[in-house]
Amino acid sequence: MAIAQGRISAGVGFNLIGQHAQERNQEATVYVGNLDPQVTEELLWELFIQAGPVVNMYVPKDRVSNLHQGYGFVEFRGEEDADYAIKILNMIKLFGKPIRVNKATQDKKTLDVGANLFVGNLDPDVDEKLLYDTFSAFGVIVSTPKIMRDPDTGNSRGFGFISYDSFEASDAAIEAMNGQYLCNRSITDRARIK
């Protein structure tokens, strides 16, 4: 997708995969996931240019249905723009679903250092976005916070998990947040043992 004389044209995202992969700036590319089927490439483009100049976008589509597969990649002009997009756009809701935005270069194996946090006594009104917004102040959260939910009702079971990129961040969160109030309940947080 590109803008040519004020128009958005689809299909230019080829540069993000295939033979041109070596030409893209991998450090300036973000992964966008958990996209609702109603989200269009145009909507994503308009959303992400709010964070910085977008060079390219690729949203894989099913060849039969021509619907996107729930994820995509956005390449910014610079790494700072990509970092800013992650900071402001991760976990915002599009059509009621929180989108995931993180670096396309991240490797799960290198990220999971074991700095995991258990958060208990959560109010039913606490959602993943509120946990992310609250706990990201202490360090980089490497994956979307997970609130454990009843499989039948979808209601919170009152606890969840947060994974940081460092033990310093998880320790700071425990020290600052244990016993603090979140939505009228005093939460408990402690290190999670794998």
Side-chain angles (χ1 to χ4, degrees), residues 36-89:
D36 185 270
Q38 299 175 74
V39 173
T40 64
E41 290 182 27
E42 291 79 10
L43 176 63
L44 278 182
W45 182 275
E46 289 297 327
L47 179 65
F48 279 87
I49 61 171
Q50 305 306 310
V54 174
V55 174
N56 218 331
M57 176 179 281
Y58 175 68
V59 181
K61 293 188 176 179
D62 182 274
R63 290 182 180 177
V64 176
S65 69
N66 202 32
L67 298 173
H68 68 72
Q69 298 175 354
Y71 70 95
F73 299 92
V74 178
E75 181 183 358
F76 287 92
R77 186 175 297 151
E79 187 176 348
E80 303 80 22
D81 298 319
D83 292 339
Y84 183 64
I86 292 166
K87 190 174 288 186
I88 66 166
L89 298 175

Side-chain angles (χ1 to χ4, degrees), residues 102-157:
N102 45 26
K103 280 286 179 93
T105 57
Q106 290 183 335
D107 180 3
K108 287 283 187 202
K109 289 181 177 64
T110 60
L111 283 178
D112 192 5
V113 296
N116 299 315
L117 199 64
F118 167 87
V119 184
N121 199 32
L122 293 175
D123 186 275
D125 291 336
V126 173
D127 63 4
E128 289 82 354
K129 169 86 170 126
L130 182 58
L131 274 187
Y132 181 85
D133 289 346
T134 303
F135 283 88
S136 63
F138 303 102
V140 176
I141 295 176
V142 297
S143 61
T144 303
K146 179 78 175 156
I147 293 178
M148 302 312 294
R149 298 188 178 277
D150 182 285
D152 298 326
T153 65
N155 294 335
S156 170
R157 291 173 53 199

